[in-house]
């Protein structure tokens, strides 16, 4: 999924130089591809992804760090793209929900969300899934209390929480049918 | 959000030089406070100096048995450092009970101490607020102040200091290491947070362009038996209504050493010195705990909606001490 080759060969602006406040070329590396955006330094990673790079899978909820809808990975760690300035991601690897599936084959977590009915309106779902996949790698999926605590950075206004936990348990346990009533 | 220019500092000297030379520049670390407040015009720098590439994220042993936490170490990384978890569990707990996993990956511990208050009038540029715009009055004193402080307030500002980490650090007598245009300094943590008094806009003794390079935790054996207890409106991803950092040792049912600090109820992370004085040498009983908690809260000043915090803080102190006493009793 990730190719660091393009990262090494990406244009490397002199970061010590002061850029902006007007539009500047920002060289990003998103989902294994080099992408250039002409944006002001104040533009968030979230807005750059959605409005400039046509990656609208990542959602804007609160735009102030309070909901988790905008969760993406930067250098493999889950972060909030609404409080990240895009220009700070030069020379870092950005991964969004669009990178999870391989062609038409969904990532196991995406499939588990479908199978476990882990959403209603679906607005928080990309953030939930980016968080859930990262959480599995981080550990902290021992029981539902632990999953709940470590998923607490992703709010679901539809309160699909029991099903979201079921989807995560299912991927954790590799394949068994998720049971939301547990 | 006002337009800003941007540069990334490659060494500490360049970062300090860039910010100190320009009154309208500011450091950018994790951005979880800075970007948020820029967007709503509460912070208005014209230039951001990104310090994320500076080599200040290590956690190192100090000679004599303490730990030095690099200022740019992330909350998530510090919370999982095995030596910190073993020697200063309340620091790890305070970090893990703060914000969310995503925010903790972004947020630095220096930024955590520098974060601004969550008072809704401070965050609303249309409201009067002495901290954001000195001389415009405090909208919270007669306003919606359920989350506000009852200790350390003044007639100018009653905003609660929001940091959880800071509470554990004041209990430990941590030391903040800084570097600025005038050289390096070591600032005892209790002096690092200023009471609002008549100048609520001044929260730290730092000069413009002075960088927090690290936080030193002194050697303190009693800190190995410590806890951070946080009470809030929901179980996670929420600031404290009341919190307690406590380290305690008990020998033959008497308290032989005690460190106690409060969060969520004061205008700065609050070292509970009055309670400590009463607890030191006292029997480890609910009676002494209650007496100490009451003494600490005696000077509390409520402002209407936040009156409940006085009783909540008392109970949180007693509960935290009881938890410690039970644990101590069984070992
Ligand atoms: C939704 C939400 C919930 C939160 N919940 C909690 C919580 O429960 N408990 C808690 O403790 N915190 C909480 N926080 C606050 C969070 O922990 C802080 O925003 C964070 O620690 C700030 O660190 P940063 O690296 O992102 O700083 P930045 O936002 O980059 O910077 C903050 C300020 O500090 C200055 N600064 C940064 N680094 C340095 C340095 N090394 N030297 C000098 N100045 C510096 C910047 O110029 C800026 O003024 C929450 C935040 C959000 C958005
Ligand atoms: S409590 Fe402090 S921060 Fe809030 S409005 Fe009053 S002066 Fe401003
Ligand atoms: S949109 Fe980023 S946390 Fe809500
Ligand atoms: S499914 Fe609607 S917000 Fe989560």
């Amino acid at each position: 999924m990730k190719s660091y080759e393009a990262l090494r060969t990406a244009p490397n602006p002199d970061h010590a130089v002061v850029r902006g406040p007007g539009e500047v070329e920002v060289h990003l590396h998103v989902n294994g591809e080099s992408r250039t955006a002409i944006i002001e330094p104040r533009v968030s990673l979230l807005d750059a992804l959605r409005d400039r790079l046509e990656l609208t899978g990542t959602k804007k909820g609160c735009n102030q760090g309070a909901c988790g809808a905008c969760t993406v990975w930067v250098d493999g760690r889950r972060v909030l793209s609404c409080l990240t300035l895009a220009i700070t991601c030069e020379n870092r690897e950005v991964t969004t929900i669009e990178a999870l599936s391989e062609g038409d084959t969904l990532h196991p977590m995406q499939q588990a969300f479908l199978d476990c009915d882990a959403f209603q309106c679906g607005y928080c779902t990309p953030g939930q899934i980016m968080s859930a996949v990262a959480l599995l790698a981080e550990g902290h999926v021992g029981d539902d209390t632990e999953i709940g605590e470590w998923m607490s950075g992703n709010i679901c206004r539809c309160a699909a929480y029991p099903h979201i936990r079921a989807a995560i348990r299912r991927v954790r346990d590799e394949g068994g049918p998720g049971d939301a009533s547990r | 959000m006002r337009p800003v220019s941007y540069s990334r500092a490659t060494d500490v000297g360049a970062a300090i030089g860039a910010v100190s030379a320009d009154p309208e520049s500011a450091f950018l670390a994790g951005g979880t406070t800075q970007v948020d407040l820029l967007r709503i015009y509460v912070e208005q720098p014209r230039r951001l100096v990104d310090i994320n590439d500076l080599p200040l994220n290590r956690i190192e042993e100090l000679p004599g048995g303490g730990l030095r936490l690099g200022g740019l170490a992330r909350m998530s990384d510090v919370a999982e450092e095995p030596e910190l978890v073993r020697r200063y569990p309340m620091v790890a707990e305070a970090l893990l009970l703060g914000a969310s996993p995503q925010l903790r990956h972004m947020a630095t511990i220096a930024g955590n101490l520098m974060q601004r208050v969550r008072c809704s009038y401070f965050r609303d540029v249309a409201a009067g607020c002495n901290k954001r715009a000195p001389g415009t009055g405090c909208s919270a004193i007669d306003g919606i102040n359920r989350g506000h402080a009852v200790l350390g307030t003044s007639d100018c500002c009653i905003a609660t200091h929001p940091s959880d980490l800071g509470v554990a650090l004041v209990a430990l007598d941590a030391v903040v290491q800084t570097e600025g245009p005038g050289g390096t300094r070591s600032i005892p943590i209790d002096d690092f947070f200023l009471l609002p008094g008549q100048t609520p806009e001044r929260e730290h003794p730092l000069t413009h362009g002075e960088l927090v390079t690290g936080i030193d935790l002194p050697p303190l054996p009693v800190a190995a038996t410590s806890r951070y207890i946080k009470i809030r409106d929901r179980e996670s991803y929420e600031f404290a209504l009341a919190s307690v950092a406590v380290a305690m040792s008990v020998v033959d049912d008497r308290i032989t050493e005690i460190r106690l600090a409060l969060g969520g109820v004061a205008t700065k992370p609050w070292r509970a010195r009055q309670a400590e004085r009463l607890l030191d040498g006292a029997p480890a009983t609910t009676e002494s705990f209650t007496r100490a908690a009451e003494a600490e809260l005696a000077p509390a000043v409520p402002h209407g909606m936040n009156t409940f915090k006085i009783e909540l803080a008392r109970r949180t102190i007693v509960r935290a001490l009881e938890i410690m006493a039970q644990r101590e009793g069984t070992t």
Side-chain angles (χ1 to χ4, degrees):
Chain A
M1 198 158 56
K2 277 186 207 158
S3 136
Y4 288 98
E5 196 52 42
L7 194 58
R8 275 194 293 276
T9 57
N12 195 1
D14 183 353
H15 291 295
V17 167
V18 179
R19 291 190 287 160
E23 292 189 330
V24 296
E25 258 187 35
V26 172
H27 303 283
L28 296 173
H29 195 255
V30 184
N31 300 338
E33 281 176 37
S34 289
R35 304 285 303 263
T36 300
I38 314 285
I39 50 174
E40 295 178 7
R42 63 174 164 166
V43 173
S44 69
L45 177 60
L46 175 61
D47 286 343
L49 290 169
R50 291 181 52 83
D51 300 344
R52 305 300 171 110
L53 303 180
E54 294 179 348
L55 292 167
T56 53
T58 307
K59 301 301 180 215
K60 184 187 282 187
C62 64
N63 215 25
Q64 56 178 16
C67 77
C70 65
T71 302
V72 300
W73 306 338
V74 172
D75 285 344
R77 309 214 310 174
R78 49 174 166 154
V79 299
L80 301 177
S81 59
C82 70
L83 294 185
T84 303
L85 297 183
I87 196 168
T88 64
C89 295
E90 286 186 330
N91 294 80
R92 314 204 198 280
E93 173 75 31
V94 177
T95 309
T96 69
I97 186 78
E98 283 87 351
L100 286 196
S101 63
E102 302 272 355
D104 285 342
T105 311
L106 294 181
H107 185 282
M109 190 64 77
Q110 291 174 307
Q111 191 61 52
F113 265 63
L114 276 176
D115 295 344
C116 297
D117 200 11
F119 48 83
Q120 290 175 40
C121 75
Y123 198 79
C124 70
T125 311
Q128 299 280 1
I129 292 177
M130 291 307 282
S131 221
V133 175
L135 173 59
L136 280 178
E138 290 165 16
H140 306 299
V141 284
D143 58 21
D144 266 19
T145 309
E146 195 180 17
I147 294 173
E149 171 60 27
W150 288 81
M151 284 298 290
S152 69
N154 293 81
I155 308 282
C156 176
R157 290 308 303 265
C158 303
Y161 299 113
H163 293 225
I164 293 170
R165 288 193 291 270
I168 295 171
R169 284 200 307 269
R170 173 172 154 153
V171 180
R172 177 197 66 193
D173 302 340
E174 285 174 350
D179 176 2
S181 62
R182 248 196 293 171
Chain B
M1 181 164 175
R2 191 157 106 158
V4 284
S5 59
Y6 171 88
S7 62
R8 210 185 271 188
T10 44
D11 65 79
V12 169
I16 295 165
V19 173
S20 56
D22 173 8
E24 299 207 275
S25 281
F27 296 123
L28 175 68
T32 61
T33 288
Q34 185 68 263
V35 174
D36 180 31
L37 295 182
L38 256 170
R39 187 167 288 143
I40 56 176
Y41 294 91
V42 170
E43 298 272 8
Q44 307 228 353
R46 290 191 182 278
R47 175 181 171 192
L48 293 177
V49 177
D50 184 344
I51 54 177
N52 286 290
D53 281 355
L54 300 183
L56 293 174
N57 58 1
R58 280 185 296 270
I59 299 175
E60 294 161 333
E61 291 288 339
L62 284 173
L67 277 185
R68 170 164 296 177
L69 315 176
L72 287 174
R74 306 292 145 168
M75 287 172 71
S76 55
D77 292 331
V78 176
E80 291 193 348
E81 165 67 32
E83 276 307 299
L84 180 106
V85 174
R86 190 174 70 77
R87 277 141 70 178
Y88 309 95
M90 66 167 147
V91 176
E93 289 175 6
L95 287 166
L96 289 180
L97 291 172
S100 72
Q102 291 95 313
L103 285 159
R104 295 195 296 267
H105 281 150
M106 305 167 73
T108 62
I109 56 167
N112 187 286
L113 303 186
M114 299 294 292
Q115 67 177 294
R116 309 301 304 275
V117 298
R118 307 302 294 194
C119 170
S120 54
Y121 303 105
F122 173 77
R123 294 174 59 85
D124 173 4
V125 289
C129 168
N130 288 326
K131 189 184 276 295
R132 174 173 35 73
T136 58
C138 171
S139 301
I141 287 181
D142 293 315
I144 295 178
N145 53 32
R146 178 172 178 274
H148 286 68
V150 292
L151 288 169
T153 57
S154 73
D155 58 1
C156 277
C157 179
I158 60 169
T160 304
H161 197 285
S163 171
D164 291 299
L165 172 64
V167 179
L169 296 183
V170 295
L172 289 173
D173 284 329
V175 177
V176 179
Q177 302 295 347
T178 74
E179 188 169 338
T184 59
R185 295 205 266 173
S186 303
I187 306 172
I189 188 81
D190 211 18
D191 300 337
F192 184 79
F193 299 110
L194 304 179
L195 290 171
Q198 298 304 302
T199 53
E201 71 282 5
R202 233 178 120 54
E203 297 173 342
H204 305 282
L206 300 186
T207 55
H208 182 71
E210 192 169 348
L211 185 75
V212 174
T213 53
I215 299 169
D216 287 0
L217 306 183
L220 185 70
V222 71
T225 41
S226 66
R227 286 293 306 269
Y228 187 74
I229 310 284
K230 181 172 174 179
I231 308 297
R232 41 189 164 170
D233 279 330
R234 58 180 182 196
E235 233 174 87
S236 187
Y237 201 7
E238 188 53 274
F239 290 92
L241 287 173
S243 69
V244 172
V246 56
M248 183 164 99
S249 71
V250 176
V251 175
D252 295 334
D253 296 326
R254 285 206 172 259
I255 299 168
T256 54
E257 211 175 341
I258 178 78
R259 294 292 182 100
L260 193 69
L262 308 181
V265 292
T267 53
K268 64 182 260 184
W270 192 262
R271 180 74 175 267
R273 294 189 193 281
Q274 184 65 16
E276 283 182 359
R277 210 174 47 77
L278 290 173
L279 290 167
D280 192 17
T285 59
T286 300
E287 207 184 355
S288 350
F289 303 159
T290 308
R291 208 161 59 92
E294 274 167 5
E296 192 61 45
L297 271 303
V301 180
H303 284 89
M305 292 176 77
N306 67 354
T307 307
F308 77 100
K309 280 195 173 185
I310 299 177
E311 181 60 21
L312 184 68
R314 273 195 210 113
R315 293 187 194 185
T316 311
I317 295 172
V318 173
R319 188 202 291 183
L321 291 167
E322 282 175 346
I323 290 170
M324 293 304 293
Q326 273 162 19
R327 205 165 67 167
E328 279 286 84
T330 58
T331 50

